[in-house]
Amino acid sequence: MPWATTLILILAGLCGRSLGQYNEEEDLAWLQYYLRQSRVSSYNYVPYYEEESPAYAYSYPSAAEPEPEPEPEPQQAAPWRCPQECDCPPNFSSAMYCDTRNLRYLPFVPSRMKYVYFQNNLIASIQEGAFDNATELEWLALHNNQIGSERMGRRVFGKLQRLERLYMNNNNLTRLPSPLPRSLRELHLSYNQISKVPSNALEGLENLTALYLSHNFIFELGASLKGLKSLILADLSYNNLRKVPDGLPASLEQLYLEYNYINAIPDDYFQVSPRLLYVRMSHNSLTNQGLSSNTFNSSSILELDLSYNRLQKIPRVNTNLENLYLQGNQINEFSISSFCSVVDVMNYSRLQVLRLDGNEIKRNAVPPDAPLCLRRATVIEI
């Protein structure tokens, strides 16, 4: 039995028709008509990105009506669809995952997205208007790419007025992106090639709580931190700074300046930040001549790292300090007055960890009243 006749028998049975009602020519004509109608009725949806859209296709024409013959034309995805290069989990419809896919361009970002991940790709440029449609963005991850400052639109982040976290570490940036949304809370720019931060580069970022600029080539910061009224953490380590930033914010709690070339700190420098808890300035060029007697006498600081500098004496610290790291300096004496101005039962240091190894102090140079002053210390290394 010919295959067409067999198929007609099946279809005729489903449709309640007998084979005797058709002749051979009518059979084939009826079969063709039925298959065409089946194809047309099945295209009542728009699949995700039936055609791969070119880079930066940020405008989408209205979808054309499908034609019944021979089959509907492929339609471009609506702006709310997920690009085929990415994943948009149905149970997390506001997130788009485009990371680690060897992308060289930014796919279109649907307007509903709040969290977008482009990290670990080969993206080298960001076109002007790339995020104009995605004004609801809160998290934008662009780290571990090849983005350069000269290949970024001047106002690519200008319309992202809800953006809270921007990750652009591990790129080829030579300057800070500008302007930045005032809604930002975290700015990650470590491992780039930034050499200078203009005094107005961070202007208006009053909601910023964390600034990561480590592993760059920054030699000057000026007073760019002064207006950051909410800043809690500033990581400026592994740069080329020769002086500390001017005007620390009063809100600051953590300051990381290790691996720079700083040789002096102004008197009362830390007093303007009454919440400061952690100060790390190891691997700099600090000397006792560049410090005043009260530079580190701040009642809020709990941890102070001054290791691997050029200090010859232990600087005076507050009795509230808990951890002091001074290893790898040139200190040649153990002065108890650096920890306790008065030594008695009621006056003592809260210091718990003291590192003095790698200096020029001899073990027998520890003064006899050290146990009374440093009664809370659990680790003392000389």
Side-chain angles (χ1 to χ4, degrees):
M1 181 183 295
W3 68 269
T5 306
T6 304
L7 183 58
I8 292 169
L9 280 172
I10 296 171
L11 296 175
L14 294 173
C15 299
R17 304 286 295 272
S18 66
L19 186 62
Q21 293 176 276
Y22 300 91
N23 57 37
E24 186 175 353
E25 292 181 356
E26 290 176 329
D27 291 344
L28 294 176
W30 180 83
L31 176 62
Q32 291 172 357
Y33 174 78
Y34 185 91
L35 293 177
R36 282 200 306 271
Q37 291 300 107
S38 299
R39 285 200 304 270
V40 171
S41 62
S42 66
Y43 278 86
N44 55 6
Y45 67 96
V46 181
Y48 289 177
Y49 272 46
E50 291 174 332
E51 288 187 328
E52 182 174 355
S53 299
Y56 306 114
Y58 296 119
S59 60
Y60 289 81
S62 57
E65 291 294 330
E67 297 180 4
E69 290 290 347
E71 63 181 29
E73 292 292 328
Q75 301 179 33
Q76 283 189 309
W80 52 269
R81 298 290 189 184
C82 184
Q84 69 175 6
E85 302 95 333
C86 309
D87 290 327
C88 305
N91 58 344
F92 194 17
S93 60
S94 59
M96 186 169 83
Y97 296 90
C98 312
D99 55 300
T100 320
R101 295 161 198 248
N102 291 321
L103 295 180
R104 296 179 180 274
Y105 62 90
L106 286 174
F108 175 78
V109 181
S111 58
R112 74 177 187 276
M113 294 302 169
K114 293 183 179 181
Y115 313 95
V116 178
Y117 304 92
F118 290 117
Q119 71 269 25
N120 304 323
N121 281 297
L122 303 171
I123 299 168
S125 62
I126 305 178
Q127 182 172 319
E128 190 75 53
F131 305 111
D132 284 4
N133 183 66
T135 56
E136 301 295 314
L137 275 182
E138 295 179 12
W139 289 41
L140 179 56
L142 291 162
H143 51 288
N144 297 329
N145 277 286
Q146 301 173 8
I147 302 168
S149 294
E150 302 302 323
R151 302 189 67 182
M152 284 181 60
R154 292 190 175 185
R155 299 186 60 86
V156 291
F157 307 121
K159 294 187 178 181
L160 303 182
Q161 297 306 310
R162 297 188 179 184
L163 191 67
E164 294 185 357
R165 290 171 174 83
L166 176 59
Y167 299 84
M168 294 196 72
N169 38 303
N170 290 88
N171 276 285
N172 297 324
L173 298 177
T174 54
R175 62 176 181 266
L176 267 67
S178 181
L180 291 166
R182 297 193 173 196
S183 54
L184 270 185
R185 295 184 179 275
E186 292 185 15
L187 179 57
H188 298 256
L189 294 172
S190 299
Y191 292 94
N192 277 284
Q193 301 169 22
I194 301 168
S195 59
K196 187 177 180 180
V197 180
S199 57
N200 62 346
L202 301 170
E203 188 175 355
L205 301 185
E206 296 185 359
N207 295 310
L208 194 69
T209 60
L211 175 63
Y212 297 90
L213 282 170
S214 69
H215 295 86
N216 277 282
F217 303 103
I218 301 171
F219 64 89
E220 184 179 347
L221 271 171
S224 55
L225 303 182
K226 190 172 184 179
L228 304 179
K229 298 181 179 180
S230 302
L231 192 66
I232 294 175
L233 184 152
D235 187 354
L236 305 167
S237 57
Y238 292 89
N239 277 288
N240 293 329
L241 293 173
R242 298 188 179 275
K243 58 177 294 187
V244 290
D246 296 331
L248 296 181
S251 58
L252 196 64
E253 296 180 6
Q254 302 176 52
L255 178 61
Y256 304 138
L257 288 166
E258 59 262 45
Y259 288 93
N260 279 284
Y261 299 94
I262 299 168
N263 57 20
I265 302 174
D267 192 17
D268 298 327
Y269 178 71
F270 298 109
Q271 302 300 323
V272 297
S273 301
R275 301 179 183 176
L276 193 59
L277 299 173
Y278 306 99
V279 176
R280 296 179 184 172
M281 299 191 66
S282 67
H283 296 274
N284 275 278
S285 302
L286 291 173
T287 65
N288 290 98
Q289 290 71 31
L291 305 176
S292 73
S293 59
N294 287 312
T295 299
F296 300 112
N297 190 13
S298 171
S299 60
S300 64
I301 299 177
L302 298 180
E303 180 176 294
L304 178 60
D305 188 352
L306 299 174
S307 58
Y308 300 99
N309 278 278
R310 299 176 184 174
L311 299 173
Q312 294 179 322
K313 295 181 180 180
I314 300 173
R316 184 181 178 186
V317 295
N318 194 273
T319 55
N320 289 330
L321 188 69
E322 295 181 356
N323 300 287
L324 178 60
Y325 302 97
L326 290 167
Q327 68 269 24
N329 278 277
Q330 302 168 14
I331 299 171
N332 53 28
E333 63 174 314
F334 194 122
S335 174
I336 202 65
S337 60
S338 298
F339 308 101
C340 301
S341 56
V342 177
V343 181
D344 57 32
V345 176
M346 300 300 296
N347 296 282
Y348 56 91
S349 172
R350 276 74 176 172
L351 203 66
Q352 298 176 19
V353 175
L354 174 60
R355 291 279 307 272
L356 285 166
D357 45 309
N359 281 279
E360 300 174 12
I361 302 177
K362 297 180 180 179
R363 290 183 176 272
N364 59 6
V366 178
D369 51 355
L372 187 59
C373 171
L374 303 175
R375 68 186 69 175
R376 288 196 175 182
T378 57
V379 175
I380 298 179
E381 293 190 19
I382 299 177

